[in-house]
Amino acid sequence: MPSPVTKSIEVPCTPAEAFRIFVADISAWWPLQSHSISAGQGGTAQGVSFEPRTGGTLTEIGPDGAAHLWGRILVYTPGEALGFTWFVGRSEDEATRVDVTFTATEGGTKVTLVHSGWEVLGEAADAQRDGYDSGWVPVLDGYRTLCASPDAAAEAAG
């Protein structure tokens, strides 16, 4: 069974603000031009959004307005934790799991993302896990950049 992918970054804002930017401003920091269903089909998504509640969804809106379900929210604790299933481009019965925690530090917030549950993918598990190990890096870089730019974060909050 492949081990979880774990990525940690520090952002210069409070856990509450880091959580808000992660959830409410995801379209402002997610690299839709490269990391989306639309990108895989040669287009650019209009956006992606969390339905901000336990039981909500994570959905991409394609260039044609079509909705592409990425996952379902399992844990929604503002300022503390977010957990969701993850089946971008696959059927829901092949969902892995992503858990994100937000922990106060002296300089802001430590954001830890753990992507697990690879065993559901069978023989493709190792390759998928390896792809996400490197794939989460540019995603979290975009998030960190928005968190570090108060003007951009405020504009995204609009």
Side-chain angles (χ1 to χ4, degrees):
M1 176 168 63
S3 61
V5 168
T6 302
K7 302 292 181 190
S8 292
I9 60 171
E10 187 158 331
V11 295
C13 54
T14 67
E17 184 66 5
F19 184 95
R20 188 199 65 71
I21 291 170
F22 197 97
V23 173
D25 297 338
I26 187 169
S27 278
W29 60 265
W30 190 274
L32 291 168
Q33 69 284 0
S34 60
H35 288 67
S36 65
I37 292 171
S38 298
Q41 297 171 346
T44 300
Q46 292 181 35
V48 61
S49 64
F50 282 100
E51 186 179 4
R53 63 178 178 83
T54 300
T57 58
L58 175 56
T59 306
E60 171 188 333
I61 303 301
D64 60 356
H68 303 282
L69 188 61
W70 286 8
R72 297 191 185 278
I73 313 306
L74 303 171
V75 175
Y76 190 85
T77 309
E80 296 177 23
L82 178 68
F84 47 95
T85 61
W86 184 259
F87 48 93
V88 179
R90 296 189 311 269
S91 67
E92 194 164 352
D93 62 344
E94 295 179 302
T96 55
R97 180 171 176 140
V98 176
D99 288 286
V100 186
T101 56
F102 302 82
T103 307
T105 65
E106 201 172 295
T109 301
K110 180 180 180 183
V111 179
T112 302
L113 180 144
V114 178
H115 191 164
S116 62
W118 303 106
E119 62 278 0
V120 73
L121 301 177
E123 291 183 13
D126 287 326
Q128 287 289 311
R129 188 245 178 247
D130 291 348
Y132 278 101
D133 190 38
S134 60
W136 281 116
V137 173
V139 170
L140 292 175
D141 283 349
Y143 169 69
R144 180 185 4 234
T145 298
L146 188 62
C147 288
S149 173
D151 294 337
E155 186 176 304

